[in-house]
Structures are given as C-alpha cells and as structure tokens.
Amino acid sequence: MNRMMKASLKSIAGVLLGLTLALIVCHFAGESPWKVLKVLFQSSFGSGYDFGMTLFYAAPLFLTGLAVSIPIRAGLFNVGGEGQLLIGALAAAYAGVVGKNIASPVAAVLFATAFAFVAGGIWGLIPGILKAKRGSHEVITTIMMNFIAAGLSSYVTLYLIKDPESSQAETMLLPEAFHLKPFEKFAGAPMGWLIFVLIALVFVIHYWMWNSVRGYELKAVGENEKAAETYGISKQSAWMFAMFMAGGMAGLVGVVEVLGNAHRFKLGFSADYGFVGIAVALLARGNILGIIPSALLFGILQKGSASLDLETDKVTRDLSYIIQGLIILGVVAEGLFEWRKKAKNA
Amino acid sequence: MNQTETAIEFKGVSKTFGNFYANRKLDFSIRKGSIHGLIGENGAGKSTAMKVLFGVQPADEGEILVNGKAVKIRNPVHAMKLGIGMVHQHFMLADSETVLDNIMLGHEPSTFFGLLKRGKAREELEKICKNYGLKFTKWESRIRDLSVGEQQRVEIIKLLYQKSEVLILDEPTAVLTPQEVKELFENLRKLKQEGKTIVLISHKLKEVLEFTDSVTVMRRGEVVGTKTTSETNEDELAEMMVGRKVSFTYQGPRRILSSQAVQPKSVLKFISERVSVELRPGEILGVAGVQGNGQTEFLKALSNPSVYGEKYFKGKYDYLVNGREIGDATPLQLRNMGVGLVPEDRLSEALLKQQDMTENFLLGQHEDPRYTGLGLFGRMINRNKVKAAVEKNIQAFDIRPPFSTVWTGRMSGGNQQKLVMARLLDPQPSILLVAHPTRGVDVGAIEKIHEAIMMERNLGKSVILFSSELDELIDLCDRMVVFFDGRVHGEFARKEFDPWAIGKVMGGA
Amino acid sequence: MNIFKYRPLVMVSSVFLGMLLTDARAELKVGLVLEKSGKDDKSFNASAYQGLKRAEKELGVMTKTVEAPDNSAYESLQRAFAEKKFDLIVAIGFHQLEAVKKNAERFPDQKFLLVDEDAKKPNVRSVMFEEHEGSYLVGALAAMHAPSGKVGFIGGMDVPLIRRFQMGYEAGVKKVNPKAQLIVNYLGVTGEAWNNPPKAKEQALDQFQRGADVIYVAAGNSGMGVFDAAEAKKKLAIGVDSNQNWIKPGYVLSSMMKRVDDSVFETVKMMKDGKFTPGLVRVGLKSKGVDYALDQHNDKLVTADDRKKLEAIRADIISGKIKVPDYYISMKKK
C-alpha cells in the first residue's frame, strides 16, 4: 500500500536522521563514527550469542509495542505497559507455584501464559474501566497503576512467594516443566522458539485489527468517537477491550522473562521495556507490522549500549543513551515537521 | 457623494497553497457606499479573498487598493485601522461578558490610571445607534442572554464603534429567521445610506438578488464576473457559479399521497411532553426551526434513544416504530428495524476522515451479515464484498474521485455527502432520518441528493428531513413541523407552506 | 549526564587500548563490571572502582570498566571480557550472581571476583561483607550522639540486604542506650529507591522533625539527600559503603565502610602474585572489611571517649562476646 510505504519511508528517514546526529556527536566526542557503527553491528549480529541477546531484548518490545499500538487505535495512550508487564511476570511466576504439579511442559507453559495474559489484561482493564465509566484520563491512571504494580510486585516477591534460599529479591525457582528451552545456536542467550511465536503473534494481531469487526470498532472509536457512537459503536466497550488486550500483551512479557530467562520473578528485571515500548510504537507509526523492525532496532540499541561502553574508549554508557534518544528524536522531529506543514496549510 | 469612487479594489491578487490556487488573479472593485455581494460555492475562494483583505493571510501577488491607494495589509489590526471590519460567521464575542464590555474590548477609553470609562463609551454607542437608526438598548445584558440576531447586531455596532468604513459580513443569514433576515437588511440599508460600504458573502442567491447593488461571482478560485444586481437574475448567477445550468427546485415527479382516503397509520411515532411527532407512510416530514431550538436533541433521541432518549426527554416519552415500542433501542437495533440516518454534522458525526471510502461505508454496517461473518478470530469483515458494494455505489451516485481507497477527509463536501447517502440507502431502510443533507454541499451535488430523497419518497419510504434552509424544506416536504424553544411550535401542511408565516412561528409567534 | 566531563578512565583506557594494539606484553588485564548505578554512585560501585584504580597505579595492571545498562546485560558484559581473555573479571553486586555462575561454568579457566554474593564455583572468589557488624558499630556511635534517645534509619529499596544493615544498627543502638527509639523509613520498592535524593531528604527532614538526632542511611545515591537534610537541620548523618565523611564535613558523623576497594585491590594483587584463591571470603570487623570511617572531616565529632568505647565493642564482637544479630540467618529461620 502506497500510504504505508510512505509512512515507513518516513520512519526510516527519521531513524537515519537520528543516527546521523548521533554519529556526529560520537565524532565530536572523539570516536570514529565508522567504528561505532561496526561495534553496533557486531554486538547485535556478531555471533549466535549476540544475535540471541538482541532478540532477547527485542522480544519484550514486540509485546509492549503492541500494548501501546492497540489502544492507540482506540484513541487511548497506554503508558502503563511497565506495570502491566510486572503483573504479568509476577503472575507467570505465581503460576509456577500454583501449578507445581503440572508435569507436561506444554500444559505448564500454556498455563503460565494464560496466567500472565489474564493478569496483565486485568491490570490494563482497570484504567480502561475507569476511563469508560468515570472518564478518568488513561495517562494518569496507567501511571498510577505502574506505581501500584511496582509496590505489589515487591510485596509479593519479598513476603509471599520469596525464594527462602536466596538473599536477593526474587521468587522461588519454577519447576522444570515451566522452563522454555533456548536455541543451542544462541550459545547461552535465553531465546528459542518463542521469538517465532511472538513474530507470528504480531502478524495475527495485525490481521485481526484490520479484518475483524472488533478491530474496526476500535479504529472507528479512535478516529471519531462521535461518529462511532452515532452509528452504534460503544466507545466504552471499545476502550475496555483495547486496554484489556494491551495489558494482556504487556503481561506476556512475563513469559519471555520468567519462563524463558530467569525461571523466576526478579525485582528490577525489566530494562524499562514498558516505556521503550512507547518509542517502539511511535517509530512504527501505529502500524502493527512496523513493530517488528522497530522493536528489533531498539533491541539492537539496547544490546549495543553495553557493547559501546566496552568496545570503545570514548562512548560511555551515557553517550549510548544519548544515541538512543537522538534516534527517537529523529523520528519524532520528522512527525513535528509534518504537523507544521499541516498547520501552515490549514 | 461621488458614486463612482471605489472603496476596495483587487488587482490581480493571487494566493496559493502549494500547487493549489485558492485565488487566481482576482480583479474586481467594490464601490463606496454600496452593498456588494460576493457569491460562489463552497471552496470557490470567497473566504480566502476576504482573509487576504482582512490581513489574515498575505497575498502572493497582486495588490489591494483601499480608497484608491495600494496598501499592504499586514494583519487584522492593520485592516481595522484602514477602516475594514468583519463579522465572522461564528461571532467573536465573549459569552459571559456584557454587551458594553464586548464592544469596548480592545478599544477601551480609559483614564490616566487605566480605569475604564464605561459611561463615556455607552454615550458614544447610543449616539452611533441614533445616527444609523439602529435599535439597541441592552448594553448591560450578557451576550449569552441575547438572541442570535441581537448578537449579530452587537457585532455590527462594534464595527461602527471602531469606525469601520467597509463592513464584511460572512454568511450573515445562516442562523437567522426570515424576520431577522429582513431586519438585518433594513439595518444594512440604513448603513449604506450613511455612506458605509458593505460586502456580503453568501451562497444564497435569493438574498443577494434582493439586497445587493452589485455582485461578484467566484468559481474555483477565480472571478467569473461582476454584475449589477438589477441587470441579472437567479439562473444567470447560478450558471456562473456552477459553470452549467442548474435548477434550484426539484423538477421531478412527485407521487400523490393517498392519505386523504383513509387515515393512514403512522410508521413512526414520538410522543413526549414537549415534542410529539408522527410520521406517515410515504411522506417527507420537514423539521424547521432556528438552530438551537431543540431539533438537535430530537434527532439524537430519534436516532440513538438508548443514549439520548433518557438524557433529553427524561424517560417521559413513547417512541414507536411500526407500532413497536423502542424507547431504548441502540442505533444498530434501529437499523435492523429499517431506520436509516444522515447525521446533522457530516464531519464530526458521519465520517472517519482519515479512513478510505470502504471503511466509511462499513460504519454502522459493520455487523451486517452481507459484509461480515464468523471467522477464526471472531466476527470478520469480508473485504471483497464491501469493496464491491462501495464500487457499485461510487458508480450509482457518481462519487468523485471514483476510487474506494481515497480518504474521505480529502473529498469535497458534496462527494462526502453522496457517500453518506449511499451508506444510508444501502440496507434499503423504510424510514429515513435525514439532517442537513445539503449543508456545505455544492450546487451540483444538491440536485443529486434532493433527487435521491424524493425517489425514496416516491417508492413509498418515509422521511423526516431536518434542515435550516427553509427553501429546501418548502421544496421537498409534504408536511412540516416547526421547533421553537424545545417544542413543536407549529405544523404546516404542504398547501399552507408560506415562508413568511413559517418564519413567524420559527421566531416564536 | 556530563559525558564531556574529563574522565580519567577515558584517558587510562585509551592508553590501555592503544597499547593492546601495539604491544603484546603479557600484562595482567582486569575487567570490572559495575551495577546500573555506576561508578558515580559515591558509594558501593565507586568504592570498587577506586580499588581497581589503585591496583592500576600501584600494581601496573591494565583495567577496563563498564557499567551495565540493565540487569540482563551482566552476563554479556562478563562474557565479552572472558572472550577478550581478561585475566580477572570483577563483578560488583548481588545482581550479578546468576551471570557469574553461568559464565564461570562456560569459562572454567576464567578467574572471577564476585562481591556481595557467593557463587560457589571453583574459579570464583566470592567476597561477602558482614554489614551487620559494621552497622552495629555505627549504631553504637549514633546512640552516643543522640541525647534525645531517638535515632533514625533510612533504607533504599526494601530488600533483605538493607534489612541486615538495619538489624545490626538497631542492636548497636540498643547496646549503648537500651531505651533508645528507632525511626525507620524505606525509600521504595523499585530500583528508583537507590537514586532518589529528594525523597530521601524529605524523609530525613521528617525524622529530624520527630526528634531523631542521628540518621544512618543505606540507600546508595539517595543518601545525598539525607546529608543535605542534616546540614539544613544542623543534625548528624551516617554514611554507607564508601567513606562519605567528606560530602558534608561536620554533619556526617561517620560512615559504615564496606572496603570493597580493599577487596578488589587485594584480589588483583593475589592475581599478580599468582596466589588467587577461589571460594567464599567473609570479611567483617576482624579483617577490617567493614569499619567505621575516621578522618579529618569527622575528627572533632567523634571524641576520644567515643573511640575508646567503640574499640571495646569491636574487640567484643571479634572475640565473640557480643553476638551481632544477622538478618540473613533470622530470615532463614522464618
């Protein structure tokens, strides 16, 4: 589609703009831009392990990207991905406690996945209900829910299902059946078949958003609330549904982390996936399929920020944060330019 | 006074947005002390021309002469200094402030210490009214307590207070009753006699013919010509506006209703304390009234009783369609009972502007089994079928551009409205609730839309037609109810249609 | 984020890298992986960094320091050092336990130093500090300077490690003044708690308001807020991990030092001398792994009499006459 092509070209232009700016900054900091690029590339694709780690960082972003993109369709801005993923991860860990007698790995994984999805979904649904019934602004309520989720997850971790053997803030280790096996090729990076499932999930959500009546209703409400209402689409139900789905998606991060990586819930495991998810969705411009390259890019940057610190003299961790920031800025600034053009023509 | 002296002259004025000429080489002049009409369809460039004159947007080329002198008008304040004033379509008044404060705003006479001299201002205003023969006394009333006609008079007095010599009025009659229109033009004539120049922007040919001295016609950003009003007529102006011959009244067949023989049962009945309306089979029932007299609420209650029935009629109402009580039906249930809707405001209520025609065609039809069915992930849309239906309708209604992938926000008002009509008629409803079908629609499309409505009526369907254009209602309707102050204030049969009498009821008589 | 600020690290490491490229002399290479809070935390990580810098200067080894951007990065960073054939990898903080375990298995010939946790691997030297002993000592000191009988404790994130500080401190306070009252606050339950000086300041002001004379803060970077509050209220604070006396001289009574720097330095020295020994090393008052800080900044605050009493308590703890309660043990009993 022409319009889609245009949008993705714009996103790519934004990324290139940001990257150029970042490399200029590196140059002035005394590091060869060429080397920075090389390090970034090698740190993400250099070996099976590196690539696996990049995918490991990108995987939660697929989900948190969806958690932002789905409600955007319905006109809502979900800032609560971080809280929703904490609750989802906690639920996945809790599933291991509740279902410790489940022997079949398939059943165990499905059980924990359902737990994570529903728990995250409910965490998202609460702001959805508040918005639908009381008109509370979802940005405020989702931020509040983030705080509550942080508190709740610490409490549960430290007092309810804490690992008594560990002096760290982490829950009990899950039974073997709950562990997802990583690929041998990734040589220790905690990522396996799950990555294909997640990519398929993005495609399914895309197809569903585009072709289902529910998806249509979300779109109609997001685009024109009044028209939707006039033609019999309930915005309340659309909002609640969108937020439940969003929360559920973020909650599935629990599967990536708890079943795939740590096999337990550890306080502070998230590299701000919920918030980076906002940038991912922004870069994808609301296009669901766009989340895949966009999440991969941020995975590369996250992986690269540590490697840049290690491999170069001048680019410290802070500078690699600046690079990330500039790339986001490049994308947003391009949007700003667009907006100004529109304002001028109006 | 020298009758040939010009107040304003446009000389080759152009204004472009990108590649698009909003105004192309405009050449016309406005005589001092005259009422000058500026007419054209929506998007013909009238508003742009006036924005250039008022200093809101700079011209790209050409020059504007004020009193014979070329000036570059920088901004509205500069325009006001040059004696040019404008009454916008939406009044620029602060609702909760008094008339006096509104008029003084920006031109406050004050003492050395910044204290306002209200008394002095009021004296001056009373003098102005006396000089120009305007009747106004409610200086201390708040704007929100005034009628629309009175608010408009405040705007005009404000311009006089600012010593404007040229008064531009943008569609001033859109919100007025016929009586108020008459009063407005009487006042404008008095101003003209005192030497003021008046520019009247309008798309209503009748009032332009009746009240102006000369008229400039615009089409597609260009001036088609300037005529002395007394030497032209409606057909000629219309042809200049549209570029071809058009008829303003419905010329097609009108099936005769068999209502005289037996008292027919009504197909739709809405009974409440303030509003009681019955719709008979095969008729077009008009709903007339000045904006804001309860028509909007009535339509909302009719089209979405589940949400607005309670809200506006407090549960004390009976709503029957084909004899069935449907006091709390949803829009989709109404649709399934054969009730179709064209909402009041096309852009805010009927369209998803950033979606294409297919997506818009689906709105309200998104659960229709012709277009959707159960699939792997719940109820799914059958895109091929929708697309085929849209393409058929593009043909049938001559919607342009004829591509189903065009964003509706990028289509003209007329084509948007044709799409809304196509969507309305697609499920073949038996009762049509149609509001303002020709608002902001170009003359060519008006004809098509009127034809479509009449055709449905002649097929035996029943229509409730809401409109603020009295002429449109008189032309199409079989019966008319008039709203005033939230109630049905009068009812007219077709043979009793008389604009003057109806106008009186609209004004509350 | 003042990245353009002159940093000795940048110079040193560029020299190092330059030499790596041109000179293949077999020199000892040490990689340091710091926690998220990084080398500017004026506390735990800073202390490790200083220890390594001292080793670099005095022992002539080459070093490279990295700061992890998130808790999943420890493994790849350690791994990168191992693949680059560094001789010793120093991992700071309990968060790195899992990563060290995995990498120790993957690279059985690689030597590791893990601080604050026990990896239980044959190629890892694990150092754990008896924080409760040091906290007991500063608790006693706090009680000596609290005429009102009220002392405060502000913890960072509510985790067992900080509870351990609190429990030792409380016992120390009660030893000197059995009737003393302890006011306790924790800054939060997320990682943000380590880096929230404004909130720490609020809590400290509140505790001072309620009558506390001395506040012991174990909250990483958030501690700065407590020092500010002490200065504003002309009261006293006790720092943690590094010697923080210099931050607000006259208002920092002392600091409970975890000599991470010494541990790092000594382990590097062992490597250099070829005497690296794996296994768990618990360092407490006896080995001076924890201690209270005494320097020119708090010389006048801690009187000779205080010092005498503290030395007596220290001797009692080392001899086992005083049993300092350990939260880890009490937690496991529960």
Side-chain angles (χ1 to χ4, degrees), chain C residues 309-324:
Chain C
K309 284 185 198 160
L310 288 173
E311 289 317 311
I313 293 170
R314 182 205 300 273
D316 283 353
I317 293 172
I318 292 170
S319 71
K321 218 169 119 192
I322 293 175
K323 273 238 163 291
V324 180

Side-chain angles (χ1 to χ4, degrees), chain B residues 427-474:
Chain B
Q428 304 189 317
S430 58
I431 298 170
L432 284 68
L433 308 174
V434 180
H436 309 293
T438 57
R439 181 180 278 175
V441 168
D442 37 282
V443 179
I446 290 177
E447 270 181 302
K448 271 249 181 306
I449 290 165
H450 283 173
E451 265 169 34
I453 294 172
M454 278 310 281
M455 189 142 83
E456 291 302 307
R457 172 197 175 275
N458 291 345
L459 286 169
K461 312 285 175 68
S462 318
V463 183
I464 301 185
L465 179 62
F466 292 71
S467 180
S468 53
E469 307 274 337
L470 199 49
D471 293 343
E472 181 175 48
L473 292 173
I474 288 173

Side-chain angles (χ1 to χ4, degrees), chain A residues 3 210-211 216 219 223, chain B residues 354 359 379 381 383 407:
Chain A
R3 204 169 289 136
W210 185 241
N211 287 307
Y216 179 82
K219 192 161 63 178
E223 160 103 34
Chain B
Q354 295 190 35
E359 298 298 288
R379 205 172 177 86
I381 298 163
R383 296 232 159 244
W407 278 10

